[in-house]
């Protein structure tokens, strides 16, 4: 079982839709969770990060963490064509394991 | 954008030749990382550095070496390139390690390497 599982998609939605992107993980030591956005042929760009279970909101983006279920989500409201990108979840844990573990990414296309 | 410059941005090389990729940062961050990104595998850590002359291996370090002689520069060398090293290589930096503020990783724009 991979430490981090992420559905690669592709996911195609109409403009204005609510998008839900998800990752599951198996390592209960993970305690810091991030979402990166990567446009085609560009480097990953940090979108959101959170330490604890619950929701964190930033504009149209909401990151949700459920540590009991080992499940994280990124919601995008009122999606725009400019949101079309690959979204990568990443996480890291305590102790000596501070290296990021990434999901494989979900390719999202928002159609005008 | 974080001040990270990777060079070259694109390179085609022949099997068996040595190749060096450079990462230069202007943020004075202590930690620097080299990742490779391949379809079906996502981002995987090759090597990282936690200070000048302080480096350690990541999960896919075989066939790669690194050096960091200055805070701002982190070099990745493929000693004898193979076709399996065809990939997109990303450098990343972070101010601190662990979990919490200032431990987030910021990425460069990538180097697309093709080994023929």
């Amino acid at each position: 079982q991979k430490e981090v599982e992420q559905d690669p998609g592709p996911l195609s939605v109409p403009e204005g839709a609510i998008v839900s992107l998800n990752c599951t993980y198996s390592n209960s030591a993970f305690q810091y969770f991030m979402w990166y956005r990567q446009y085609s042929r560009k480097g990953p760009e940090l979108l959101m990060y959170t330490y604890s279970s619950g929701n964190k909101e930033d504009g149209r983006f909401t990151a949700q963490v459920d540590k009991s279920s080992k499940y994280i989500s990124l919601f995008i409201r009122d999606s725009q064509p400019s949101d079309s990108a690959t979204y990568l979840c990443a996480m890291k844990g305590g102790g000596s394991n501070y290296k990021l573990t990434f999901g494989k990414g979900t390719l999202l296309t928002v159609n005008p | 954008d974080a001040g990270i410059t990777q060079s070259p941005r694109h390179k085609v090389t022949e099997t068996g030749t040595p190749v060096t990729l450079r990462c230069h940062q202007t943020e004075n961050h202590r930690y620097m990382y080299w990742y490779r990104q391949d379809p079906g595998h996502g981002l995987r850590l090759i090597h990282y550095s936690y200070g000048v002359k302080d480096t350690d291996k990541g999960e896919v370090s075989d066939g790669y070496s690194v050096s960091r002689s200055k805070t701002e520069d982190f070099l990745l060398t493929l000693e004898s390139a193979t076709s399996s090293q065809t990939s997109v290589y990303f450098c990343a930096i972070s101010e601190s390690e662990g979990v919490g503020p200032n431990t987030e990783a910021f990425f460069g724009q990538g180097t697309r390497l093709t080994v023929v």
Side-chain angles (χ1 to χ4, degrees):
Chain A
Q1 181 187 11
K2 296 286 187 183
E3 277 196 299
V4 179
E5 299 275 7
Q6 183 175 11
D7 187 340
L11 183 61
S12 181
V13 302
E15 183 175 353
I18 296 174
V19 176
S20 172
L21 304 166
N22 311 296
C23 289
T24 59
Y25 62 96
S26 58
N27 188 344
S28 58
F30 287 143
Q31 55 182 277
Y32 190 38
F33 306 91
M34 282 144 281
W35 285 95
Y36 285 83
R37 177 174 63 194
Q38 186 175 20
Y39 292 114
S40 180
R41 295 185 174 263
K42 299 291 187 183
E45 167 194 12
L46 182 64
L47 202 56
M48 296 191 71
Y49 60 89
T50 183
Y51 310 102
S52 56
S53 283
N55 294 351
K56 180 179 180 181
E57 191 172 315
D58 183 2
R60 296 185 295 111
F61 298 89
T62 299
Q64 186 176 80
V65 174
D66 182 347
K67 288 188 178 180
S68 63
S69 301
K70 297 189 179 66
Y71 188 89
I72 69 171
S73 299
L74 177 71
F75 297 97
I76 307 174
R77 291 183 298 281
D78 187 25
S79 56
Q80 302 295 310
S82 59
D83 295 326
S84 298
T86 296
Y87 289 80
L88 305 165
C89 64
M91 50 198 78
K92 56 179 174 177
S96 61
N97 183 20
Y98 291 131
K99 301 302 173 285
L100 281 172
T101 299
F102 285 86
K104 294 179 182 178
T106 300
L107 177 60
L108 170 68
T109 301
V110 181
N111 301 299
Chain B
D1 292 343
I4 307 169
T5 304
Q6 290 187 231
S7 58
R9 294 292 313 278
H10 302 271
K11 185 170 183 66
V12 179
T13 193
E14 292 186 350
T15 299
T17 60
V19 177
T20 295
L21 309 182
R22 181 180 183 239
C23 178
H24 178 78
Q25 60 142 330
T26 58
E27 305 296 324
N28 200 37
H29 284 358
R30 178 180 174 186
Y31 295 87
M32 298 186 75
Y33 311 84
W34 278 107
Y35 289 87
R36 59 178 291 175
Q37 188 175 38
D38 304 287
H41 290 279
L43 280 159
R44 293 180 290 174
L45 182 65
I46 305 171
H47 280 281
Y48 65 98
S49 170
Y50 45 97
V52 173
K53 292 184 169 50
D54 292 323
T55 65
D56 207 346
K57 296 179 180 180
E59 64 175 298
V60 290
S61 59
D62 286 349
Y64 302 95
S65 63
V66 290
S67 66
R68 191 170 178 197
S69 59
K70 298 186 288 185
T71 298
E72 58 266 34
D73 289 326
F74 192 32
L75 304 181
L76 176 70
T77 297
L78 290 66
E79 304 291 347
S80 177
T82 68
S83 58
S84 64
Q85 293 176 312
T86 292
S87 186
V88 182
Y89 291 86
F90 288 100
C91 173
I93 64 173
S94 67
E95 187 173 349
S96 303
E97 205 178 39
V99 293
N102 303 318
T103 68
E104 299 81 22
F106 298 94
F107 285 80
Q109 293 300 293
T111 294
R112 190 168 296 268
L113 177 68
T114 303
V115 183
V116 298

